[in-house]
Each structure stands twice: as C-alpha cells, then as structure tokens.
Amino acid sequence: TLADNSTASAYLGFSVTSSAPAITSALSATGAVNAAFTYLIVASNSPTAFAAANLPAGLALNAQSGAITGTPRSAGTTSVTISATNASGTDSRTLAITVAAAVVPPVITSAGTAAGTSGSAFTYQIVASNSPVSYAT
C-alpha cells in the first residue's frame, strides 16, 4: 500500500504506425475537346504529394491537392499513371482518361428562302451539316 501523499509511476509504451496512401478515386474519367475538365486523385492515409505521368495535352496536375484540370486539346483515350505519396510510401494506379471529340452544332446549308404556289402542294427539304438528330419549324 502507498502512504498518503505518495506517488507511483509506470511506463506506458505505444507506437504509432503509419501506412502508405491507397488511391480510392475512380480509375476512369471522361471529358471533351475544348471543354473544361476536372479530376481529383483521392487517397487514404494523408498523402503529402501527388503525381501524374502522360497527361493528355491541355491538362495539368496540382501536386499538392491532386487535382487534374485544364482543357483537353485532342480526342482519344490516354493511360495516365497517377500516384499519391506520404512518408510511409507511394501508391500508383493507371487512370484511363477518355476525351470525346468536340461537339459541333449543326449548320443549315439548304436555301434560306423558298417559293410556292397557292393551292399547290409545297415541299422544302431542310439540309444541315454535322448530323442533326432532330428538326423543327
């Protein structure tokens, strides 16, 4: 037993283990030529830096936040190696970025005027470029 006003001490030991990041964001992303693009590399275990290799032209990485942003300049699918790093290690994955061709609106190419005769059937063909999906009058 301890007498009044006495103290006791004991050693309490513990260790903190840290783990390397694990990328948890989707491994595919889509965009379009000449349209704003954003993708965020998300990873567990508090990454301190991010990297991306082989980004499509027009895209750039913020190495501190993991944000890939920009305006893609050409269509196609690119395999990009992304990684997240902390003091315990690095996780790398392959991200597929698919960039679609720019959407180009139709342009009416048929004549802007037409003539008809009262009491007779009238026909006018609307002709347009870029494969329109519907027509309206």
Side-chain angles (χ1 to χ4, degrees):
T1 59
L2 294 174
D4 289 338
N5 297 328
S6 48
T7 61
S9 63
Y11 174 76
L12 174 62
F14 66 93
S15 64
V16 176
T17 57
S18 163
S19 297
I23 294 174
T24 58
S25 49
L27 296 177
S28 64
T30 59
V33 172
N34 297 326
F37 176 89
T38 300
Y39 172 86
L40 183 62
I41 303 170
V42 178
S44 62
N45 300 318
S46 304
T48 55
F50 297 92
N54 196 38
L55 285 171
L59 300 183
L61 169 74
N62 179 313
Q64 287 74 40
S65 71
I68 297 172
T69 59
T71 304
R73 291 185 274 202
S74 60
T77 299
T78 304
S79 292
V80 177
T81 302
I82 58 173
S83 62
T85 301
N86 68 15
S88 296
T90 300
D91 184 26
S92 295
R93 304 287 174 159
T94 300
L95 166 66
I97 297 178
T98 301
V99 177
V103 177
V104 180
V107 175
I108 295 175
T109 57
S110 52
T113 60
T117 304
S118 179
S120 298
F122 176 78
T123 302
Y124 176 79
Q125 175 80 34
I126 300 173
V127 179
S129 64
N130 301 320
S131 304
V133 295
S134 66
Y135 297 87
T137 57

